[in-house]
Amino acid sequence: MKRPTLEAVAARAGVSRATVSRVVNGSATVNPQIRTVVLRAVEELGYIPNSAARSLVTQRTGSIGLVVSEPLARVFSDDPFFSLVVRTVSQELEAADKQVVLMIPSSPAGQARVERYVAGRHVDGVILLSQHGSDPLPAALLRTGVPVVSHGRPVSAAKPPYCDVDNVGGARAAVEHLLARGRRRIATITGPLDMSAGLDRLAGYREILSGTGRRSLAAIGDFTRESGAAAMDQLLEDDPGLDAVFAASDLMATGALHSLRKAGRRVPDDVAVVGFDDIDAARYTDPPLTTVRQPIAEVARAVVRILLAGVDDQAEPVIFPTELVVRDST
């Protein structure tokens, strides 16, 4: 079948082509009665506006870029964080009659491609996810003039508006809980130290220990299960007498549980373990994992709403509270 044209809609509605164009492009200058007639003709004919032509008129694409600065294997791993953020952002944008364009620049060439795409105004805004301190992309995207909001506190010199959780406070609560349980040699498995979540959770851990006069003992992970196991092996080698560990993610805590079991250490009898995130799997580890719950979906929703409402570069960051969830691992 031949695709209905703007002219066909105008003929059906008995109005000019220009009037139909104003209606389908959302102009507020059209008489409400005429708008109703035109929209009825659009529905009867099954007219679908040409998105390219519509963008020329409205200067809007109806698309939002979600830029995830991680390798593909990391984004599509068993880490539920990424899938939950992508799903939530997609649902929020769909409800606003927008679509998400997922971009995963995992190389300098990929970063340059994303910058060109955004600078070409193929999206109306950008959400940044999983930024690393050395990443030049946030600053490059801010220079394009396209609205940018960050999911997570930026650590680079580029400072777009952002939403995050209280990572420092969550880590403090975890270590205070371990001290209250009588633990005295508390280690930590950090996240990447070029990311705000890794830096802030380490800062919270150190802040509490420094107030007690105890020394900190840290091994660096990358938020994966494998890095948690390797870091736990290192911590046991560095201090065989440690009696607790705070892992900066639940996946790393899961890896730590595996390492402790392999080393013959009982949890929590010999070593207590606390994670961070409260992913679904935390309830089903052996033993169930004490962890710091962060509202991942709520942060993602807030980022979308800020972007759609209009970005204010001077706006204060939106910070969500965390909550300690106590289970059998402590």
Side-chain angles (χ1 to χ4, degrees):
M1 293 179 60
K2 192 173 181 180
R3 180 174 176 172
T5 63
L6 208 63
E7 290 77 10
V9 175
R12 173 67 67 93
V15 298
S16 70
R17 183 185 189 280
T19 298
V20 175
S21 178
R22 289 200 300 274
V23 171
V24 298
N25 287 314
S27 172
T29 63
V30 181
N31 181 286
Q33 292 180 329
I34 294 176
R35 181 188 305 278
T36 300
V37 172
V38 171
L39 292 177
R40 185 183 302 121
V42 166
E43 184 178 354
E44 291 171 351
L45 293 176
Y47 173 74
I48 301 174
N50 183 297
S51 59
R54 188 172 185 176
S55 293
L56 287 173
V57 174
T58 64
Q59 298 296 300
R60 308 290 289 177
T61 67
S63 299
I64 300 295
L66 176 58
V67 179
V68 187
S69 296
E70 293 287 351
L72 280 168
R74 179 89 176 91
V75 177
F76 296 104
S77 67
D78 61 349
D79 188 341
F81 173 83
F82 294 104
S83 61
L84 179 54
V85 171
V86 172
R87 183 169 71 248
T88 304
V89 167
S90 299
Q91 289 170 340
E92 288 294 304
L93 290 175
E94 182 179 1
D97 197 27
K98 309 286 184 185
Q99 67 178 19
V100 63
V101 179
L102 180 62
M103 293 177 274
I104 308 175
S106 53
S107 67
Q111 292 173 337
R113 187 163 53 250
V114 168
E115 182 183 354
R116 290 194 303 270
Y117 189 84
V118 173
R121 302 284 170 157
H122 296 294
V123 292
D124 300 327
V126 173
I127 295 170
L128 297 174
L129 176 63
S130 201
Q131 296 176 69
H132 295 260
S134 60
D135 187 354
L137 193 55
L141 295 181
L142 285 170
R143 288 194 296 268
T144 67
V146 173
V148 177
V149 180
S150 175
H151 185 295
R153 180 177 67 82
V155 293
S156 63
K159 301 294 184 184
Y162 70 91
C163 298
D164 206 342
V165 302
D166 183 7
N167 287 299
V168 174
R172 286 198 299 251
V175 181
E176 286 172 339
H177 170 71
L178 290 169
L179 288 170
R181 290 297 172 99
R183 306 295 168 157
R184 293 295 175 261
R185 298 168 76 171
I186 303 170
T188 186
I189 300 173
T190 78
L193 298 183
D194 63 348
M195 299 183 72
S196 60
L199 289 168
D200 291 348
R201 293 171 197 178
L202 175 60
Y205 160 84
R206 284 178 168 166
E207 183 179 318
I208 297 301
L209 283 193
S210 66
T212 66
R214 293 178 174 81
R215 71 183 185 95
S216 61
L217 176 64
I220 299 173
D222 62 9
F223 291 141
T224 64
R225 183 182 288 104
E226 293 76 16
S227 74
M232 192 70 248
D233 288 342
Q234 177 187 327
L235 290 170
L236 288 173
E237 182 177 342
D238 293 343
D239 185 355
L242 66 85
D243 60 5
V245 61
F246 163 56
S249 80
D250 286 349
L251 284 182
M252 293 196 299
T254 302
L257 289 173
H258 174 78
S259 174
L260 289 166
R261 187 177 300 111
K262 185 179 64 174
R265 306 296 177 91
R266 298 168 299 164
V267 177
D269 304 68
D270 301 323
V271 181
V273 179
V274 180
F276 200 112
D277 290 329
D278 195 28
I279 62 176
D280 287 343
R283 292 176 289 167
Y284 302 105
T285 56
D286 182 21
L289 184 65
T290 292
T291 184
V292 178
R293 176 180 295 153
Q294 63 160 323
I296 298 171
E298 286 84 348
V299 176
R301 292 189 191 100
V303 169
V304 173
R305 290 167 185 169
I306 288 172
L307 189 61
L308 295 181
V311 173
D312 179 359
D313 292 338
Q314 304 304 314
E316 290 294 315
V318 177
I319 307 297
F320 287 80
T322 54
E323 176 189 359
L324 183 70
V325 180
V326 179
R327 299 192 179 100
D328 295 345
S329 68
T330 56

